[in-house]
Amino acid sequence: MNKVFVAILLATALAAIEGTIVSTAIPSITADLSGVELISWIYSAYLLTSAISAIIFGKLADLLGRKKIIIAGITIFLIGSLLCGMATSMGLLIVYRAIQGIGAGSILPITLTMVGELFKTEKERAKGQGYISMVWGVSGVIGPLIGGFIVDQLTWHFIFLLNIPFGIGTIILIAKYYQEEKIILSRKIDYLGASFFSIGMMALLYSLIEGSNTQQWTTITQCILYITAIVFLGIFIFVENRTDEPIIPLTLFKNKRLNVINGLTLFCMAIVIGISAYLPIYAQSVLGKNATEAGLMLTPLSVMWTVGAILSSQLVGWITNKRIIQIGTILLVISTTMLMFLSSTTSPLFVFLATGILGTGMGFIAPMLIIAVQASSTEEQLSTAIGLNSFINTFSQSIGAAIFGVLFNITTSHPLKEIDAESINLNGSFDHTLFSAQQIHRIIEIIAGGIRSVYTGSFVFAVIAFILAIFISIKQSEENK
């Protein structure tokens, strides 16, 4: 069991580090391949395909077996990594990142299911999920550092090629040591439903990603995407209601406890993307930090996420899981309240404290949510339920990025246009030949106001998460009566 768990941690590390290590290579990639205007799609292509494939891989794992599917998924991930390392143009790199994302979509739902299978008691599962969260937290710290070292000492290509030996080692460990608990199920795969779901969700996610990048939501292209999403997702629901083995059993949405858990996932992960995306902008544009210092301001989030995950695993058995989640959401409310008051005179220590509290809260929440999913679904639908939760985890990032982008632009676009500063860089390098000291001070205050509006939105999300956590607690108390 220990060797299988090591393989699970390795697989998790592959997906986790991939989300952070690429950021440090972006300047080198654009210098080598050009296509600066396509930078966001290096992230978005990976995000989009991993979101959709997570739920499909989760279902396939229930039908065909977890061992086969995760090995297949990691293999696709490694093929995508190899192709990314060999990319000769920005367009090809984006396509290869999409392939990489398809494989990555298998890792999170199936490894989390395997943890539930390996550890039988809730206490053991909590510790296992704590280690998984620790991997994500540590990756958030060391990913950019490893990426920077590789770019400085070698080339950006090796950031992707580094995955291959670790991925092969993971496959060998799983193939040799993982003895799957066999569950006999019908092996009919809902290809039609999977196709309609993929097309509909790709249209919806593409519209959200593109809209958040351009802030143009009513163009002809956007309207076509909305219509496509509505039509294909509507057909998907029609098909799922009439097939014997749906790719997403709609009965999952009748499970009120799962709905609350998935709602918590949606709002909590949206908060995280708001911190990750806008805190570096605040650090550089408002506080005048350089890129390295701005990145370090996110370190408390990752470090305390790990600490919170370890603490939460130790609390299992002492207090209920629902109470642990409640404590986590209270910490989210406290941290987002603090972030709403950021200004040009805020001390960096205040920011460190706020992000550290938020990281602790997420460390309390994230492992417990997965345990709650495991406890709320049947064994036959476990991978599918976790796959749905993993999809919502990624989908929330697109939703959060879009909403926070709108809030930031509504607050900043008009005031910046008034001083003819709409084309300024958000890295703090304001052109002193174009703007007076008074104008630069005004620009900084406008950006600070935009950041506050983003974190006001985060505060609202945190309050909603706390309310949902209360509902989980109430439901649990009713069950115990």
Side-chain angles (χ1 to χ4, degrees):
M1 185 179 73
N2 289 337
K3 292 178 180 177
V4 175
F5 191 55
V6 169
I8 290 172
L9 294 178
L10 277 174
T12 303
L14 285 174
I17 290 180
E18 196 60 35
T20 57
I21 196 173
V22 175
S23 60
T24 55
I26 291 298
S28 297
I29 291 173
T30 53
D32 191 13
L33 302 181
S34 300
V36 174
E37 71 280 1
L38 299 175
I39 283 177
S40 63
W41 278 102
I42 295 177
Y43 300 100
S44 299
Y46 182 87
L47 178 72
L48 192 153
T49 54
S50 63
I52 295 171
S53 64
I55 195 164
I56 295 175
F57 274 120
K59 180 63 178 181
L60 291 177
D62 282 336
L63 291 174
L64 304 179
R66 289 151 199 163
K67 187 172 184 176
K68 292 179 182 178
I69 297 302
I70 193 168
I71 288 176
I74 294 173
T75 301
I76 294 171
F77 177 83
L78 294 182
I79 291 171
S81 297
L82 178 62
L83 291 172
C84 285
M86 299 169 61
T88 56
S89 70
M90 189 68 82
L92 285 175
L93 179 61
I94 291 169
V95 171
Y96 298 154
R97 282 282 284 173
I99 295 173
Q100 197 183 29
I102 292 172
S106 72
I107 294 174
L108 185 58
I110 301 179
T111 53
L112 292 175
T113 305
M114 290 167 66
V115 169
E117 186 179 290
L118 289 173
F119 301 103
K120 301 302 182 184
T121 69
E122 200 168 70
K123 182 79 172 177
E124 290 175 337
R125 286 181 177 179
K127 288 183 178 179
Q129 300 299 346
Y131 282 115
I132 295 288
S133 293
M134 183 177 69
V135 169
W136 283 95
V138 171
S139 298
V141 177
I142 68 171
L145 299 178
I146 294 174
F149 178 80
I150 290 175
V151 170
D152 289 340
Q153 301 300 320
L154 301 168
T155 70
W156 64 264
H157 301 273
F158 285 91
I159 280 180
F160 299 105
L161 299 179
L162 182 68
N163 293 323
I164 294 173
F166 292 102
I168 292 174
T170 303
I171 290 174
I172 291 172
L173 286 173
I174 291 175
K176 187 173 181 180
Y177 296 107
Y178 178 43
Q179 300 300 319
E180 185 174 7
E181 295 179 0
K182 297 291 183 180
I183 299 172
I184 305 300
L185 291 173
S186 167
R187 294 200 170 192
K188 183 180 179 182
I189 300 174
D190 180 20
Y191 293 108
L192 189 62
S195 299
F196 284 122
F197 175 77
S198 298
I199 294 171
M201 287 311 307
M202 284 185 71
L204 178 58
L205 287 172
Y206 186 96
S207 68
L208 289 172
I209 293 169
E210 188 66 14
S212 63
N213 287 339
T214 64
Q215 295 303 314
Q216 296 179 5
W217 298 95
T218 57
T219 63
I220 294 176
T221 301
Q222 286 290 93
C223 291
I224 291 173
L225 289 171
Y226 302 148
I227 294 171
T228 301
I230 293 170
V231 170
F232 277 86
L233 291 177
I235 296 173
F236 163 74
I237 293 173
F238 179 83
V239 169
E240 296 302 272
N241 276 321
R242 286 159 179 78
T243 187
D244 295 330
E245 192 65 50
I247 195 74
I248 306 175
L250 298 183
T251 53
L252 287 176
F253 296 98
K254 296 179 181 179
N255 187 327
K256 294 181 180 179
R257 193 174 177 190
L258 267 180
N259 288 339
V260 175
I261 294 165
N262 288 332
L264 265 168
T265 301
L266 179 70
F267 288 104
C268 290
M269 294 311 299
I271 292 172
V272 173
I273 195 65
I275 302 298
S276 302
Y278 287 93
L279 192 61
I281 293 175
Y282 168 76
Q284 293 184 72
S285 297
V286 179
L287 298 185
K289 305 293 184 182
N290 60 35
T292 302
E293 292 169 331
L296 287 174
M297 294 193 84
L298 287 171
T299 301
L301 174 67
S302 300
V303 172
M304 295 310 296
W305 191 320
T306 302
V307 172
I310 295 171
L311 285 175
S312 67
S313 67
Q314 298 301 315
L315 289 173
V316 173
W318 291 87
I319 59 177
T320 66
N321 295 347
K322 310 307 174 280
R323 187 67 65 190
I324 295 173
I325 292 174
Q326 279 189 322
I327 294 171
T329 57
I330 290 172
L331 292 175
L332 294 190
V333 172
I334 293 172
S335 61
T336 52
T337 300
M338 294 173 67
L339 291 170
M340 280 197 299
F341 293 96
L342 294 183
S343 70
S344 58
T345 59
T346 300
S347 167
L349 290 177
F350 181 87
V351 182
F352 287 143
L353 179 61
T355 54
I357 293 173
L358 190 137
T360 306
M362 286 305 304
F364 273 50
I365 295 167
M368 295 302 106
L369 287 180
I370 296 302
I371 292 173
V373 171
Q374 292 168 342
S376 302
S377 57
T378 63
E379 183 67 23
E380 293 78 10
Q381 293 185 340
L382 182 56
S383 291
T384 306
I386 292 180
L388 177 60
N389 185 263
S390 299
F391 164 77
I392 291 172
N393 188 324
T394 306
F395 180 69
S396 68
Q397 298 177 51
S398 298
I399 292 287
I403 292 174
F404 294 141
V406 170
L407 290 174
F408 183 80
N409 280 280
I410 287 176
T411 308
T412 61
S413 59
H414 182 68
L416 288 176
K417 285 180 181 178
E418 288 183 342
I419 54 176
D420 195 28
E422 66 273 11
S423 60
I424 63 166
N425 294 320
L426 291 178
N427 61 2
S429 56
F430 305 122
D431 193 336
H432 289 263
T433 63
L434 294 177
F435 306 113
S436 66
Q438 185 178 4
Q439 286 177 316
I440 290 175
H441 176 74
R442 174 63 178 151
I443 292 170
I444 290 173
E445 292 300 323
I446 291 170
I447 295 173
I451 298 296
R452 285 194 294 273
S453 70
V454 167
Y455 293 135
T456 300
S458 297
F459 169 76
V460 173
F461 282 8
V463 171
I464 295 172
F466 174 67
I467 294 171
L468 289 173
I470 291 175
F471 277 109
I472 285 185
S473 179
I474 291 172
K475 182 169 179 55
Q476 180 70 12
S477 65
E478 289 172 350
E479 291 172 351
N480 292 337
K481 288 179 180 178

